[in-house]
Amino acid sequence: MPIVHLTKTEEREARAERLLRIALADQRINQRDLARKMNRKYCTVNKRINEPGTCTLYELWDFLDELNVPPEERAKILY
């Protein structure tokens, strides 16, 4: 089996996606409810969570604020 190495961008996107999915599970909320709560379209929320590279920094912080993600967890995305 070949070894697969992720690029720096792919690693960051994977970390962001994992953090968002964990936050959704912790809050016991699904993407559709999050979209309603944030007054956004479900398809937009779904795309941003599945492909965090399409997310602007403002949108990312907005998601993290809505999901009450603590600062120490947010910092993990940036390294």
Side-chain angles (χ1 to χ4, degrees), residues 6-56:
L6 298 176
T7 65
K8 192 76 162 173
T9 302
E10 291 170 334
E11 286 178 24
R12 288 179 179 150
E13 286 180 7
R15 267 196 307 271
E17 181 180 355
R18 190 170 35 255
L19 178 63
L20 289 169
R21 290 190 184 282
I22 289 170
L24 282 166
D26 287 347
Q27 294 291 319
R28 292 185 175 94
I29 188 172
N30 61 34
Q31 292 179 16
R32 197 167 301 280
D33 292 338
L34 179 63
R36 274 192 218 110
K37 195 173 177 184
M38 295 178 72
N39 199 24
R40 299 218 177 139
K41 293 181 180 180
Y42 166 73
C43 59
T44 302
V45 171
N46 184 47
K47 182 173 183 173
R48 298 302 189 250
I49 290 174
N50 291 324
E51 300 173 29
T54 65
C55 202
T56 65

